[in-house]
Amino acid sequence: MRKDVRILLVGEPKVGKTSLIMSLVSEEFPDEVPLRAEEITIPADVTPERVPTHIVDYSEAEQSDEQLYQEISKANVICIVYSVNNKKSIEKVTSHWIPLINERTDKDSRVPLILVGNKSDLVEHSSMETILPIMNQYSEIETCVECSAKNLKNISELFYYAQKAVLHPTGPLYSPEEKEMKPSCIKALTRIFKISDLDNDGILNDNELNFFQRTCFNIPLAPQALEDVKNVVRKNMSDGVKDNGLTLKGFLFLHTLFIQRGRHETTWTVLRRFGYDDDLELTQEYLFPLLKIPPDCTTELNHNAYLFLQSVFDKHDNDRDCALSPDELKDLFKVFPYMPWGPDVNNTVCTNEQGWITYQGYLSQWTLTTYLDVQRCLEYLGYLGYSIIQEQESQAAAFTITRNKRIDLQKKQTQRSVFRCNVLGVRGSGKSGFLQAFLGRNLARQKRIREDRKSYYAISTTYVYGQEKYLLLHEVLPDFEFLSEADLACDVVCLVYDISNPGSFEYCAKVYKKHFLDSKTPCVIIAAKSDLHEARQYYSLSPLDFCRKHKLHPPQLFTCNTDEAPSKDIYTKLTTMAMYPHAKLRCMCSCNRCTYCICHNLLNSELVRSVKAKLYSAVLNRHVTQADLKNSTFWLRASVGATVFAVLGFAMYKALLKQR
């Protein structure tokens, strides 16, 4: 709502403009009336709407036309005062004052007008018969009030209606000529209905109506009041109530009724609670609440935000197939003024065989938007009504801001859940295939992707030591000379070359030496298209020798030319490296065949598991009693036995390795 209201009183001389103001302030009719009252400010705490109100008087004797024009331009509402016993002053309303005001205001933002019939104490008849045709002729006239400054009749009501005309204007909501709500109002209320329809069945049941009532007015409806509301709708329209719940038509009818009965403040309370301004547009404060993000920090959705997004998905997944069909996705985004996701999203996240976004892909896309453009995500959550449904101050409550990466490196641990991997390589090296393989698509499926729907991002989940993490792959355009800081800022780097192209590796080597040689960012070289014949690279060092020289992992063989979905092992390794960039996870046995040496995970090896199984079998064969099991000597012997087997296994492994 507005922070204050400015009311201007105009009209012919001697109609009682100044008397009305002085009677309001002093609560008695003044003995002496000046030519013009000074501007008066009524504090917020004594006004019905709790908004400071400025009342401005106009005097033809004291003010020039230019001063009048300035006051008209500053006014939020104008009261045109006439005398009910003076026909000439009534005629001047249409012949002079309304045309003058309209000339000085924009056609698209006309100031609301209140017609004020003063001196009603001097006549026994009403002027309404004369005034009603005028009100019907000019849509900017909000209402007409007859009053008496002398008898203090309707004085406070006059200024209340003037306040109301500014704070709860009828113009944006309703068309008096057509006697129905305006399209922009219907659109806003339809969005509000869809947000409030928590199960998406097209009906507001009693629980949803109570939640809506509590959200907007801070009090629930009594059961009888609920029934009364539905009965009013039933009497006036056959399809307004269905299965004892309120349909969209019934919801819109109720608000039309409120407006027609002069209770448009009820509709405005609802609209403003859901973020709308006086022009029925969502406010910037609602869509973009303040969210400060320190440098070198990232943004992630928190647990409550994921629960909310999950409920939105479930609400629109009508066939319960854990994927959103095009129609279901369109229905989900009906509360948006535009379609936020383009066709490229289907090649950014996981989809099912029909190309529909899966539940995992849906959450991945939200995670991607949060990471890359948190302001856009704030806007999207605003359209979905996050702060209202979750009963939060704003959608800023949906985000976690991670700590500075330097602190993660110092502490050698991180609480982050999203990690970025930039993928670099020359054109045709296999970068796009590497991204799409992460989404489970082999070469055959990738060939069906249209060029105009290609995505330079791919995001999905991986598991590192049992924890679910998001890995975001970004394909960087191969312009060696113009790599920006954004192209280089990431948690792990993939340098991709085509093993069948002899000129492919040189780009990877140059990029590494120029940008990542002295960087703390982990780097991995991917030998893509490993199903093809390997060509000797033109670069002075072979890829393997280059990795040995710079103490990198050996080139990782990769192909997406498979019958099934490509392996995801490499993506798990990338996520692990991004999580633990400080760890020296290099091959300890110099076998050059593994990223993480088997020696590093010896206790989890097949050999040790086999030894443990045999030991357990032996224990069972001896029919160990409960007393034996509790005996500490027994467990000491078992532990020593397991250790001996492990050492023997390690020795055997090294012997086999030497033979190879």
Side-chain angles (χ1 to χ4, degrees):
M1 278 201 313
R2 290 182 179 273
K3 293 181 180 178
D4 60 0
V5 173
R6 190 173 182 86
I7 304 171
L8 173 65
L9 275 69
V10 298
E12 294 301 294
K14 306 295 183 180
V15 292
K17 301 184 294 297
T18 308
S19 299
L20 287 168
I21 296 171
M22 297 186 73
S23 294
L24 173 74
V25 174
S26 63
E27 296 186 349
E28 62 179 10
F29 186 69
D31 294 331
E32 293 185 11
V33 181
L35 290 175
R36 177 175 172 266
E38 294 296 323
E39 181 177 324
I40 293 168
T41 299
I42 302 175
D45 56 355
V46 296
T47 63
E49 297 290 343
R50 301 290 186 224
V51 175
T53 302
H54 312 282
I55 302 175
V56 181
D57 192 9
Y58 164 71
S59 170
E60 185 179 324
E62 287 199 350
Q63 291 175 289
S64 65
D65 289 347
E66 191 57 41
Q67 287 174 312
L68 172 61
Y69 302 154
Q70 288 178 3
E71 290 296 348
I72 289 173
S73 65
K74 291 191 291 184
N76 302 129
V77 58
I78 298 175
C79 295
I80 304 176
V81 184
Y82 63 91
S83 176
V84 294
N85 65 343
N86 185 338
K87 288 186 178 180
K88 187 178 179 182
S89 69
I90 298 175
E91 290 170 1
K92 282 282 189 175
V93 170
T94 53
S95 64
H96 176 67
W97 289 109
I98 293 178
L100 173 68
I101 292 166
N102 286 343
E103 283 174 14
R104 297 291 161 178
T105 54
D106 291 335
K107 188 176 181 180
D108 296 330
S109 56
R110 289 276 165 85
V111 63
L113 305 178
I114 307 286
L115 300 187
V116 181
N118 192 23
K119 303 185 180 182
S120 63
D121 58 292
L122 299 179
V123 295
E124 294 181 359
H125 63 275
S126 172
S127 63
M128 283 301 175
E129 286 186 13
T130 309
I131 294 301
L132 280 174
I134 299 174
M135 292 180 65
N136 292 332
Q137 184 180 352
Y138 296 96
S139 59
E140 56 267 37
I141 298 175
E142 287 284 323
T143 189
C144 176
V145 184
E146 286 193 346
C147 56
S148 170
K150 188 172 184 178
N151 293 344
L152 306 183
K153 178 187 174 184
N154 288 340
I155 302 296
S156 57
E157 286 82 357
L158 156 63
F159 291 100
Y160 168 69
Y161 286 131
Q163 251 193 354
K164 189 175 170 182
V166 177
L167 302 176
H168 310 300
T170 309
L173 306 182
Y174 190 75
S175 173
E177 298 86 358
E178 298 173 10
K179 295 184 179 179
E180 60 183 30
M181 281 194 295
K182 290 186 175 179
S184 56
C185 183
I186 293 173
K187 183 180 177 183
L189 289 172
T190 301
R191 170 182 168 266
I192 291 168
F193 180 91
K194 280 194 67 66
I195 290 172
S196 304
D197 182 13
L198 301 177
D199 55 10
N200 200 36
D201 63 350
I203 299 167
L204 294 184
N205 58 39
D206 286 358
N207 289 334
E208 290 165 341
L209 278 170
N210 257 319
F211 179 79
F212 170 81
Q213 175 75 13
R214 196 174 68 251
T215 297
C216 296
F217 304 101
N218 296 322
I219 51 170
L221 278 172
Q224 187 56 49
L226 270 175
E227 284 306 312
D228 291 344
V229 167
K230 287 184 278 189
N231 285 334
V232 169
V233 177
R234 280 192 190 100
K235 287 177 183 176
N236 288 276
M237 56 189 328
S238 57
D239 52 355
V241 177
K242 182 181 177 183
D243 298 333
N244 203 35
L246 207 60
T247 65
L248 175 59
K249 286 185 177 180
F251 184 74
L252 294 175
F253 167 78
L254 268 182
H255 283 281
T256 305
L257 203 61
F258 291 146
I259 296 165
Q260 288 173 340
R261 292 182 178 179
R263 291 178 52 196
H264 33 285
E265 65 271 16
T266 302
T267 301
W268 274 115
T269 301
V270 171
L271 290 165
R272 289 190 173 115
R273 179 65 184 91
F274 280 78
Y276 289 93
D277 62 14
D278 289 351
D279 298 318
L280 295 185
E281 298 288 343
L282 290 171
T283 66
Q284 293 296 297
E285 292 79 5
Y286 172 80
L287 290 177
F288 304 103
L290 184 63
L291 184 66
K292 293 183 179 179
I293 305 166
D296 214 21
C297 297
T298 58
T299 47
E300 298 178 0
L301 292 164
N302 59 32
H303 179 65
N304 287 335
Y306 278 117
L307 287 178
F308 170 76
L309 292 170
Q310 178 183 338
S311 70
V312 173
F313 182 94
D314 292 340
K315 174 178 171 178
H316 294 89
D317 182 18
N318 297 322
D319 52 10
R320 297 291 180 263
D321 63 347
C322 288
L324 293 176
S325 69
D327 287 341
E328 289 170 341
L329 199 63
K330 186 178 179 181
D331 185 44
L332 190 154
F333 289 129
K334 274 185 179 177
V335 294
F336 285 58
Y338 56 87
M339 187 67 178
W341 295 354
D344 60 323
V345 71
N346 295 67
N347 300 313
T348 304
V349 299
C350 293
T351 58
N352 62 13
E353 289 297 323
Q354 295 166 287
W356 300 351
I357 296 172
T358 62
Y359 172 69
Q360 181 189 352
Y362 165 84
L363 292 182
S364 295
Q365 179 63 20
W366 279 102
T367 303
L368 175 70
T369 307
T370 303
Y371 187 94
L372 295 179
D373 190 350
V374 71
Q375 291 298 315
R376 184 64 61 88
C377 200
L378 280 168
E379 180 187 0
Y380 290 173
L381 288 174
Y383 292 137
L384 290 173
Y386 174 83
S387 61
I388 294 153
I389 301 301
Q390 296 297 105
E391 300 181 72
Q392 298 287 341
E393 186 175 340
S394 75
Q395 54 268 31
F399 301 98
T400 296
I401 299 172
T402 65
R403 68 187 181 190
N404 193 298
K405 291 182 185 178
R406 288 195 298 272
I407 298 174
D408 283 353
L409 286 169
Q410 289 168 5
K411 293 185 176 291
K412 297 187 177 181
Q413 60 179 359
T414 182
Q415 283 86 42
R416 292 163 60 207
S417 297
V418 185
F419 299 91
R420 177 169 178 157
C421 172
N422 283 354
V423 182
L424 295 94
V426 296
R427 295 186 188 279
S429 59
K431 301 189 299 296
S432 298
F434 185 73
L435 265 67
Q436 291 301 311
F438 184 36
L439 306 177
R441 295 165 189 159
N442 59 19
L443 189 61
R445 281 190 67 184
Q446 291 178 30
K447 286 180 177 178
R448 299 200 293 266
I449 297 174
R450 287 168 44 177
E451 187 64 26
D452 60 337
R453 296 187 175 183
K454 180 182 175 182
S455 175
Y456 291 100
Y457 290 94
I459 183 170
S460 190
T461 54
T462 60
Y463 285 87
V464 177
Y465 302 133
Q467 300 177 55
E468 185 182 60
K469 303 293 179 183
Y470 281 95
L471 180 64
L472 189 170
L473 301 179
H474 175 212
E475 179 183 341
V476 179
L477 295 175
D479 196 336
F480 180 77
E481 298 298 329
F482 297 100
L483 288 176
S484 65
E485 287 187 17
D487 295 330
L488 304 173
C490 57
D491 302 299
V492 62
V493 174
C494 266
L495 299 170
V496 181
Y497 76 97
D498 176 0
I499 68 166
S500 65
N501 179 359
S504 183
F505 178 72
E506 184 177 9
Y507 175 86
C508 298
K510 286 183 176 180
V511 167
Y512 177 80
K513 289 169 72 175
K514 181 175 181 179
H515 298 289
F516 300 107
L517 183 60
D518 299 319
S519 168
K520 293 183 180 179
T521 305
C523 292
V524 176
I525 291 178
I526 304 293
K529 305 183 185 180
S530 60
D531 57 303
L532 302 178
H533 175 71
E534 184 172 5
R536 181 182 176 84
Q537 296 294 317
Y538 293 149
Y539 191 69
S540 57
L541 292 174
S542 71
L544 181 58
D545 290 338
F546 181 87
C547 292
R548 283 174 173 166
K549 178 181 177 181
H550 295 288
K551 298 182 180 179
L552 297 171
H553 302 300
Q556 303 295 296
L557 297 177
F558 176 82
T559 180
C560 54
N561 190 10
T562 56
D563 294 332
E564 302 297 327
S567 170
K568 289 195 174 183
D569 289 347
I570 183 62
Y571 306 105
T572 304
K573 293 172 183 176
L574 288 170
T575 312
T576 308
M577 293 172 69
M579 287 179 66
Y580 305 105
H582 54 275
K584 304 296 182 183
L585 299 176
R586 297 196 178 93
C587 182
M588 293 188 288
C589 62
S590 303
C591 68
N592 293 328
R593 277 192 285 271
C594 52
T595 302
Y596 303 103
C597 178
I598 195 171
C599 317
H600 184 71
N601 293 313
L602 179 64
L603 292 178
N604 291 322
S605 67
E606 287 295 330
L607 181 62
V608 173
R609 283 199 289 272
S610 174
V611 169
K612 287 179 180 177
K614 288 179 180 177
L615 179 62
Y616 183 69
S617 176
V619 170
L620 290 179
N621 289 337
R622 287 183 55 206
H623 304 288
V624 181
T625 64
Q626 287 291 333
D628 287 330
L629 289 172
K630 292 178 182 177
N631 191 315
S632 59
T633 309
F634 167 79
W635 287 112
L636 178 63
R637 290 199 302 272
S639 300
V640 171
T643 305
V644 170
F645 272 108
V647 171
L648 287 172
F650 181 69
M652 289 169 61
Y653 174 80
K654 291 199 74 173
L656 287 169
L657 199 62
K658 285 180 180 178
Q659 288 178 6
R660 288 182 187 177

